[in-house]
Amino acid sequence: MALSIQKIVQILHAKWFGINDATIDNISIDSRSLQNGSQTLFFALVGPNNDAHVYISALIEKGVQNFVVTHIPENLENNANFLVVANTLDSLQLFAAYYRNLFDFPVIGLTGSNGKTIVKEWLNFLLSPDYNIIRSPKSYNSQVGVPLSIVAINEKHNLGIFEAGISTRNEMEKLETIIRPTIGILTNIGSAHDEGFTGIGEKIKEKLKLFQNAKILIYHKDKTIDAFIDSKLKTFSWSFKDEGADVFITKKLDFDQTLLKIRHQKTEFEIKIPFQDEASIENALQCMMALLYFSYDAKTIKDRIGLLFPVEMRLKLKNGINNTTLIDDSYSSDFQSLKIALDFLESQKQYKKKTLILSDIFQSGLSNEDLYSKVSHLIVSNKIDRVIGIGETISAFKNKFPNCVTFKNTESCIAAIHELNFSNETILIKGARTFHFEKIVAALEEKTHETVLEINLNAISHNLNFYKSKLKPATKMMAMVKAFGYGSGGFEIAKLLEHHKVDYLGVAFADEGISLKTAGIHLPIMVLNPENTSFSAIIQHQLEPEIYSMKGLNAFLKIAEQKKLNHFPIHIKLDTGMHRLGFEEENLEELIATLKENKLVTVKSILSHMATSDDLNHRDFALSQIDLFEKLSSKLMRELRIKPIRHILNTSGISNFPDAQYDMVRLGIGLYGVSNDVREQKYLENVGTLKSIISQIRTIDAEESVGYGRRFVADKTTKIATIPIGYADGISRHWGNGVGFVTINNQKATIVGSICMDMLMVDVSEINCNEGDQVIIFGESPTVIYMAEQLQTIPYEILTSISQRVKRMFYRE
């Protein structure tokens, strides 16, 4: 975004009271945001409980100079640029609508009662290998959230996916003007926000307004919905029951999956999805329909749909205390989602006995009498053995439920947990956010006594796309997965990168590449440091070696001749100043002579490595490396009459030397959420979180010591917690003795004494904690960057030091 303040004045039909012209590159409504700056346009929204005009003076002091307001606060007239309008929310929406019209690419608009966010996130996952997607962040689907989502579009995006959520009539037309979807998807229509409409018909009509100018509407065929669809709107429907739908589907449960047979036009094919609950099946089918509309072939649809994953941790199965299974749906409570959750409970139950913990139900659109009568019928039909109700309203209808006990609030229920005698049962925990049922989940969840490195695959995707956005359209991407994915894990990350269609993977040694190929990775894999003894295995597993010396080249050619290879791909490494590995300028004539007319191998790429790409104090040296690489690689290409891929940039080089992208770049540590640039770091997401638990807590007196060598001696009564992780797990001993800390319950706990082989000790005197509580070794706090700074090393060493005995757990949010 780069719009002049004068242009925005015209767009908003505002009265301008200004001190200077300005270029706007950021829109904000949050006075707390650290991204607010001199080129920010701040919309001072006025709500029932807040008026952002009161923050304008403080924002001016922080450097913000441009404001959209309904009035200019007293004594500030000549201190900033003010665009005075009648209504700041209307103006935000007007600006977003104008901004949306600057872009002409397909936009998917989603609305419905349930499933919008899940379908959006799944579509993003399914389509992201082929599109640069802009989508609503989280659930930004409101009158404010939608405009903020839209203004994040940039010129690199070629597909949009936006949610539109409404709670009453006369809201959707505004969102339609802003989103202007070309493709519509109507998700499940349920009871959420029923109170905002006179009936289901009015709700459907209001939601369908989002698609009044769309080219196509994708939806689950239904007679009630059909009655309200404009005959001029082209539709693409699916159904399990109505064979008149465009796509007819039959389903069959298959262990923990669902087998779906798809009939579309004159073709039939099958897909499997890793879910059995009705909500996930419906959401997955909405996504499948979008893939069909985008003309994906059956194999691609099958492969991608099979990789779908749970979103937002809702309806997540967890192990509970005393041989129980928990179904955690602790963030929503409405009648429709209760039906879905009970279906999930039935399909996932591990124990015959079933318990429901349920809060007051909101947004039903029914009287309490009717609502809880329906809930009672639902619970009886699902053969729930006992109900634990929480909330004043559900308590008043206690007599409608079999074997029911109620509590006025969550705290009183938690206080009675042990008296409720949970054991050998499946427990569905379902409550509105305001009841904070996550506390009940925490009280019932089994504490796992293990150290684990959690890897956020969404963060890897985000970081990959961040660096992709810096590349020219034709520039290829090699992603480095050497050293067990920088300590994060090899295969799982490689599989994700393959899904995102990176061009190459890079590993250090042959055994890493062999492991990936054996596990089923099909991407070309370059081995950066091949040993001569590994050449036969490299050839056998179709890996591609980096060749950096005449000795290595001759050794490979000898084996290539024995195996009668024909144009086997190799990669020539040039030394341009790193002085580690590579051919130097004086070696080039011999290299050229050896490769000329040689049909055993093909030079797939020519590469070099920069020594100072992360340090702009050595910019001249870096530029000299690039110049030498240009000179030497050009000579090779000219003499050998070849056009290989050329690449010299690593993660830091991508950002600092964009003019040297050549044909490909190599993304390493940045993929894992670490940048050497403080400004760039804020755009990356943390990938790895190393977690453990408190094994034991003890209190020691003054003059008592902790650990080997008595390197910590208490000067007062001190509470010490022992954590089961040590230097054998990869935690540096230099991190002990007061240098480092861990995080427990969002508080810093200083490491005391020497770090042992299998454990370390921390001071928790000022922290309210218990044995079994979670401990963050690194992640958001402390970060690996902070640890590296304190230990006078680099983040690479921190990450790659984590022992293989530490379990890796991969997840998507």
Side-chain angles (χ1 to χ4, degrees):
M1 177 189 298
L3 292 172
S4 72
I5 197 76
Q6 294 296 339
K7 179 63 178 178
I8 297 173
V9 168
Q10 296 175 24
I11 296 166
L12 302 184
H13 309 295
K15 294 181 180 179
W16 185 54
F17 298 85
I19 57 173
N20 55 37
D21 200 0
T23 299
I24 300 301
D25 65 5
N26 179 42
I27 299 298
S28 176
I29 63 166
D30 186 353
S31 62
R32 299 164 296 182
S33 174
L34 297 179
Q35 297 179 36
N36 293 329
S38 61
Q39 292 183 297
T40 294
L41 180 62
F42 183 85
F43 284 77
L45 300 185
V46 179
N49 302 311
N50 192 32
D51 184 350
H53 289 77
V54 301
Y55 306 119
I56 290 176
S57 178
L59 284 166
I60 292 174
E61 291 181 8
K62 294 178 181 178
V64 181
Q65 287 286 294
N66 309 287
F67 300 90
V68 178
V69 298
T70 58
H71 63 277
I72 301 173
E74 190 175 354
N75 299 323
L76 295 180
E77 291 86 351
N78 299 314
N79 292 356
N81 292 321
F82 291 101
L83 285 67
V84 180
V85 297
N87 183 297
T88 50
L89 175 57
D90 289 347
S91 293
L92 174 64
Q93 295 173 339
L94 180 62
F95 177 81
Y98 168 83
Y99 190 74
R100 163 67 181 90
N101 286 328
L102 297 178
F103 301 91
D104 185 21
F105 53 71
V107 170
I108 299 173
L110 290 153
T111 194
S113 303
N114 306 299
K116 296 186 294 295
T117 299
I118 293 173
V119 173
K120 177 198 67 184
E121 294 300 320
W122 281 356
L123 282 175
N124 177 69
F125 173 77
L126 294 167
L127 296 170
S128 60
D130 309 304
Y131 294 91
N132 191 6
I133 298 172
I134 174 70
R135 72 189 194 280
S136 311
K138 297 185 179 179
S139 294
Y140 273 39
N141 59 23
S142 67
Q143 300 291 310
V144 174
V146 168
L148 293 178
S149 301
I150 291 293
V151 297
I153 298 174
N154 65 45
E155 291 75 10
K156 294 182 181 294
H157 295 128
N158 56 15
L159 178 65
I161 309 175
F162 297 102
E163 294 181 53
I166 57 172
S167 57
T168 188
R169 63 186 71 86
N170 301 322
E171 289 185 339
M172 189 60 84
E173 284 181 331
K174 293 181 179 179
L175 299 185
E176 191 280 334
T177 303
I178 300 168
I179 298 173
R180 205 161 53 85
T182 56
I183 302 162
I185 297 179
L186 182 66
T187 65
N188 179 273
I189 299 292
S191 59
H193 301 296
D194 270 359
E195 62 271 24
F197 305 92
T198 58
I200 187 68
E202 185 178 56
K203 178 193 280 191
I204 292 172
K205 285 175 64 177
E206 183 71 16
K207 289 184 179 295
L208 287 174
K209 289 178 181 178
L210 178 63
F211 314 122
Q212 59 191 15
N213 294 304
K215 295 178 180 178
I216 192 81
L217 169 63
I218 295 169
Y219 78 113
H220 185 183
K221 191 169 180 59
D222 176 91
K223 290 182 179 178
T224 304
I225 295 173
D226 287 344
F228 296 99
I229 296 178
D230 190 326
S231 60
K232 298 178 183 178
L233 177 59
K234 186 178 180 181
T235 60
F236 188 36
S237 62
W238 62 274
S239 179
F240 291 116
K241 300 176 181 178
D242 189 344
E243 295 199 35
D246 298 296
V247 178
F248 185 71
I249 301 160
T250 56
K251 66 179 176 180
K252 178 183 177 182
L253 301 183
D254 183 16
F255 295 102
D256 58 346
Q257 297 181 316
T258 302
L259 178 64
L260 299 167
K261 184 176 289 186
I262 313 299
R263 189 176 76 199
H264 175 228
Q265 296 176 344
K266 296 181 180 180
T267 63
E268 289 190 3
F269 61 94
E270 292 183 348
I271 61 174
K272 275 187 179 181
I273 60 172
F275 308 100
Q276 290 192 336
D277 63 284
E278 293 300 323
S280 295
I281 293 170
E282 182 167 341
N283 292 333
L285 285 172
Q286 300 282 20
C287 295
M288 181 212 68
M289 292 290 289
L291 294 181
L292 282 174
Y293 178 74
F294 277 88
S295 300
Y296 283 84
D297 60 71
K299 183 180 184 305
T300 301
I301 293 173
K302 179 180 178 180
D303 290 345
R304 294 191 184 181
I305 290 287
L307 296 174
L308 293 180
F309 49 86
V311 174
E312 291 190 344
M313 312 294 268
R314 292 185 180 184
L315 291 172
K316 183 172 182 180
L317 285 166
K318 300 179 178 180
N319 292 326
I321 60 174
N322 304 327
N323 296 320
T324 60
T325 297
L326 311 180
I327 298 176
D328 180 3
D329 192 14
S330 56
Y331 298 103
S332 68
S333 181
D334 61 81
F335 183 71
Q336 190 66 25
S337 67
L338 175 61
K339 292 170 63 177
I340 295 168
L342 287 169
D343 284 340
F344 185 79
L345 167 62
E346 184 60 28
S347 66
Q348 296 292 334
K349 66 179 182 182
Q350 295 187 24
Y351 301 96
K352 185 177 180 180
K353 183 180 179 181
K354 296 181 291 184
T355 294
L356 170 63
I357 302 177
L358 182 67
S359 78
D360 289 345
I361 296 177
F362 302 137
Q363 300 177 338
S364 71
L366 302 171
S367 69
N368 285 335
E369 182 67 32
D370 289 343
L371 170 63
Y372 287 101
S373 293
K374 286 179 175 289
V375 172
S376 175
H377 176 75
L378 195 60
I379 288 170
V380 170
S381 64
N382 278 272
K383 299 179 181 179
I384 301 300
D385 294 284
R386 67 168 169 169
V387 176
I388 298 170
I390 300 176
E392 293 186 359
T393 306
I394 197 170
S395 295
F397 292 91
K398 175 182 178 179
N399 62 343
K400 289 186 176 291
F401 306 109
N403 192 20
C404 180
V405 59
T406 59
F407 299 90
K408 295 294 185 183
N409 53 51
T410 302
E411 287 68 27
S412 56
C413 176
I414 292 174
I417 283 285
H418 296 294
E419 299 170 16
L420 293 170
N421 297 318
F422 293 103
S423 67
N424 301 304
E425 58 194 298
T426 303
I427 307 165
L428 171 59
I429 304 168
K430 184 159 187 60
R433 288 178 182 272
T434 54
F435 283 86
H436 298 290
F437 268 20
E438 66 272 13
K439 296 178 182 178
I440 295 177
V441 175
L444 292 177
E445 189 173 3
E446 182 181 51
K447 303 300 184 291
T448 54
H449 293 267
E450 63 178 344
T451 297
V452 60
L453 179 60
E454 292 184 351
I455 309 300
N456 184 342
L457 296 177
N458 289 88
I460 289 179
S461 298
H462 169 86
N463 297 336
L464 174 68
N465 290 329
F466 171 76
Y467 284 101
K468 272 186 175 180
S469 71
K470 294 175 174 284
L471 303 183
K472 300 169 186 174
T475 304
K476 299 179 185 295
M477 172 77 80
M478 175 185 286
M480 309 306 296
V481 291
K482 62 180 182 177
F484 193 54
Y486 288 70
S488 297
F491 171 73
E492 293 83 359
I493 292 174
K495 192 70 177 174
L496 179 67
L497 294 170
E498 191 167 58
H499 172 74
H500 282 293
K501 294 186 176 180
V502 301
D503 300 281
Y504 260 90
L505 297 178
V507 298
F509 298 104
D511 57 351
E512 295 175 314
I514 291 169
S515 175
L516 293 177
K517 286 291 187 182
T518 302
I521 297 299
H522 300 292
L523 281 174
I525 299 175
M526 183 174 126
V527 182
L528 280 79
N529 303 319
E531 297 163 319
N532 291 2
T533 54
S534 70
F535 283 155
S536 292
I538 284 174
I539 293 168
Q540 178 186 345
H541 292 278
Q542 293 296 299
L543 303 173
E544 301 180 15
E546 173 190 289
I547 303 297
Y548 50 81
S549 69
M550 287 307 304
K551 179 181 177 182
L553 177 60
N554 289 328
F556 190 83
L557 290 175
K558 183 177 180 181
I559 294 175
E561 188 173 11
Q562 292 171 355
K563 294 183 178 291
K564 299 180 180 180
L565 299 182
N566 183 35
H567 295 293
F568 194 92
I570 63 172
H571 302 262
I572 298 298
K573 174 75 170 286
L574 300 177
D575 181 4
T576 57
M578 185 77 163
H579 296 329
R580 193 172 59 177
L581 295 173
F583 291 93
E584 295 181 292
E585 188 168 7
E586 55 263 33
N587 307 135
L588 249 56
E589 293 301 334
E590 185 180 3
L591 174 63
I592 291 168
T594 304
L595 289 175
K596 212 164 206 177
E597 308 303 329
N598 192 309
K599 291 183 171 51
L600 296 172
V601 295
T602 291
V603 179
K604 192 70 176 288
S605 84
I606 302 173
L607 68 146
S608 188
H609 195 65
M610 298 178 70
T612 61
S613 63
D614 60 333
D615 188 350
L616 294 181
N617 291 321
H618 295 285
R619 181 176 178 82
D620 289 344
F621 180 79
L623 291 173
S624 73
Q625 281 198 268
I626 293 169
D627 289 343
L628 183 56
F629 178 67
E630 172 65 29
K631 174 185 175 183
L632 301 185
S633 61
S634 295
K635 180 179 176 67
L636 278 176
M637 293 166 64
R638 185 171 60 253
E639 295 287 338
L640 296 175
R641 298 178 183 176
I642 58 174
K643 290 185 177 180
I645 299 167
R646 289 193 288 176
H647 48 112
I648 189 173
L649 298 185
N650 56 5
T651 296
S652 297
I654 293 171
S655 299
N656 292 334
F657 299 94
D659 292 336
Q661 289 181 14
Y662 285 98
D663 305 296
M664 186 163 69
V665 297
R666 303 188 299 272
L667 179 60
I669 195 71
L671 183 65
Y672 304 93
V674 177
S675 171
N676 291 304
D677 187 329
V678 174
R679 294 166 298 177
E680 185 173 271
Q681 183 63 45
K682 65 182 180 181
Y683 296 107
L684 300 180
E685 292 184 359
N686 179 63
V687 169
T689 300
L690 182 58
K691 294 181 177 180
S692 192
I693 52 95
I694 297 175
S695 294
Q696 188 176 45
I697 296 175
R698 71 178 71 247
T699 300
I700 63 173
D701 295 327
E703 304 303 323
E704 289 190 302
S705 62
V706 173
Y708 288 116
R710 302 196 74 212
R711 289 184 173 84
F712 173 79
V713 178
D715 59 5
K716 60 182 178 181
T717 300
T718 306
K719 187 166 66 169
I720 299 293
T722 300
I723 319 298
I725 184 171
Y727 60 77
D729 301 292
I731 307 302
S732 171
R733 291 185 78 245
H734 298 292
W735 189 234
N737 295 311
V739 175
F741 69 91
V742 300
T743 300
I744 300 173
N745 296 334
N746 296 315
Q747 293 180 265
K748 292 182 179 180
T750 301
I751 299 173
V752 296
S754 297
I755 291 176
C756 308
M757 180 181 289
D758 307 300
M759 63 193 77
L760 56 83
M761 288 70 70
V762 298
D763 183 349
V764 293
S765 301
E766 305 300 322
I767 301 175
N768 182 16
C769 58
N770 299 292
E771 293 176 358
D773 281 1
Q774 180 178 273
V775 178
I776 305 297
I777 310 300
F778 66 64
E780 296 291 349
S781 178
T783 65
V784 292
I785 295 174
Y786 175 83
M787 291 178 71
E789 289 172 349
Q790 298 303 304
L791 294 171
Q792 297 184 339
T793 184
I794 55 176
Y796 296 75
E797 183 176 357
I798 306 293
L799 292 172
T800 58
S801 295
I802 303 304
S803 167
Q804 294 297 301
R805 77 177 188 176
V806 173
K807 177 183 177 182
R808 270 69 173 174
M809 193 276 283
F810 300 85
Y811 71 96
R812 296 184 177 94
E813 290 184 332

